[in-house]
Structures are given as structure tokens and as C-alpha cells.
Amino acid sequence: MRFLKAYFVTVQHIKRKATEMKRSTRKFFLILCAAGCLGFIWINSVMPGSASSRLSGYAEKILKMFFGDGFALSEAVIRKLAHCFEFAVFGVILSLLFYEKLSARLPLVGFFGLGAAVCDETIQLFSNGRSSQIKDVWIDFFGFAAGTLLIFIFYALDKETKGNHRRL
């Protein structure tokens, strides 16, 4: 009987450790994704205005291939939408990183998003042919908030249906 009890305790311990390892591996992966996303955003901000303009021109051509020649957005609007999308992806990744206690850590997540947007615009101050504007900080933060809100909605639904949120 003692042997079975010791075996059961050992199996439970191994399962718990395996779950902890999966969780730490997932967190490490999400930290790498967040760093990569932030690096991508900031590398684009370091680019001179002429290089950024060329990228926006390529993006416009790609969008016209999908939506036809009737697609008419200015380069400035395409740039703003791209920034908004980049920060939405960053918001999703950061929210997934803090998913287990997202409702308690939402202010911290928002602080990281706003800080990243402010840093992004500060970087553009020192880039040739680029400028920094307060409205761009708000556009970036809006994208971040949209991505965070998307994950928060899933979090709330998951918590409601399970009674107690499950861990991703």
C-alpha cells in the first residue's frame, strides 16, 4: 500500500513539474515574441523617412493587388494603419504573456504599451526625415489597446464559461 501511495505522489509531482515547465517555456516564447515585435517596431522607426516612404509605397501596391485600382488610401494613412496594426500585435502578445492574471495586471500591460508608443515616437525624433507627433502616440496606443481588448474579451469569456480561468 505504501508503494502505491508513494507512486501516486511521485506521478502527481512529475505532472506538476511538467505543467510548470510548459508554462515557463510558453512565457519564454512570448517574451521572445514581444521583444521581436518591439524590435520590429523600433527598427522601422529608426529608418530614414525616404526608406519608410518606399516601404509604404510597396504596401500600397500590395493592397491594390488585393483590392483593385479603386483602393485609394494616402501614404500617410497607410503608415498610420501599419503603426496601429504593429502595436495591436504587440498588445496581443503582451496580454497573452500576462493572461493568467490579466485583469489584475491590466494597468501594467497598459503602462508597457504607452511606454513603447512614447519610446517609438522619441526614436523618430532622431531619425532623418521623420518627425514625432503626440497624435502618433495615441494612434500607436489605440492599436495596442485594441489588441489588449481582444485578448481581454477572450479572457473574460473564458473565465465566465469555466468559472475559473484556465491557463493557456
Side-chain angles (χ1 to χ4, degrees):
M1 185 71 156
R2 245 183 184 170
F3 173 75
L4 288 175
K5 188 175 181 182
Y7 174 77
F8 180 72
V9 169
T10 304
V11 168
Q12 291 299 325
H13 178 73
I14 291 170
K15 284 182 180 179
R16 194 175 320 116
K17 287 294 183 185
T19 302
E20 288 173 13
M21 258 182 23
K22 285 180 188 174
R23 198 173 301 134
S24 64
T25 302
R26 183 179 55 247
K27 284 191 183 253
F28 180 73
F29 176 73
L30 287 169
I31 288 170
L32 283 179
C33 287
C37 185
L38 207 50
F40 178 78
I41 290 169
W42 288 345
I43 284 172
N44 283 330
S45 292
V46 169
M47 269 191 234
S50 59
S52 181
S53 181
R54 277 195 305 273
L55 279 178
S56 297
Y58 295 143
E60 185 178 8
K61 287 178 185 175
I62 291 170
L63 289 171
K64 281 187 178 182
M65 283 187 338
F66 284 110
F67 298 110
D69 288 332
F71 182 80
L73 285 180
S74 69
E75 181 184 318
V77 172
I78 290 173
R79 282 178 149 176
K80 303 301 180 199
L81 288 173
H83 266 263
C84 195
F85 180 75
E86 290 169 347
F87 273 89
V89 170
F90 183 57
V92 165
I93 293 169
L94 214 56
S95 296
L96 287 173
L97 183 61
F98 291 107
Y99 186 82
E100 291 174 9
K101 297 179 182 175
L102 185 58
S103 59
R105 294 187 176 154
L106 205 53
L108 179 65
V109 171
F111 177 76
F112 280 136
L114 186 59
V118 168
C119 287
D120 181 51
E121 291 304 312
T122 303
I123 289 169
Q124 288 185 25
L125 280 173
F126 302 102
S127 300
N128 291 332
R130 303 288 293 265
S131 66
S132 178
Q133 297 178 356
I134 295 294
K135 79 173 181 184
D136 288 346
V137 173
W138 288 112
I139 289 170
D140 295 347
F141 187 67
F142 173 78
F144 180 85
T148 301
L149 179 65
L150 178 70
I151 297 302
F152 189 76
I153 289 169
F154 285 124
Y155 172 83
L157 291 173
D158 188 33
K159 192 173 182 180
E160 183 180 303
T161 57
K162 301 279 190 230
N164 188 5
H165 71 280
R166 75 172 211 282
R167 296 175 185 197
L168 285 178

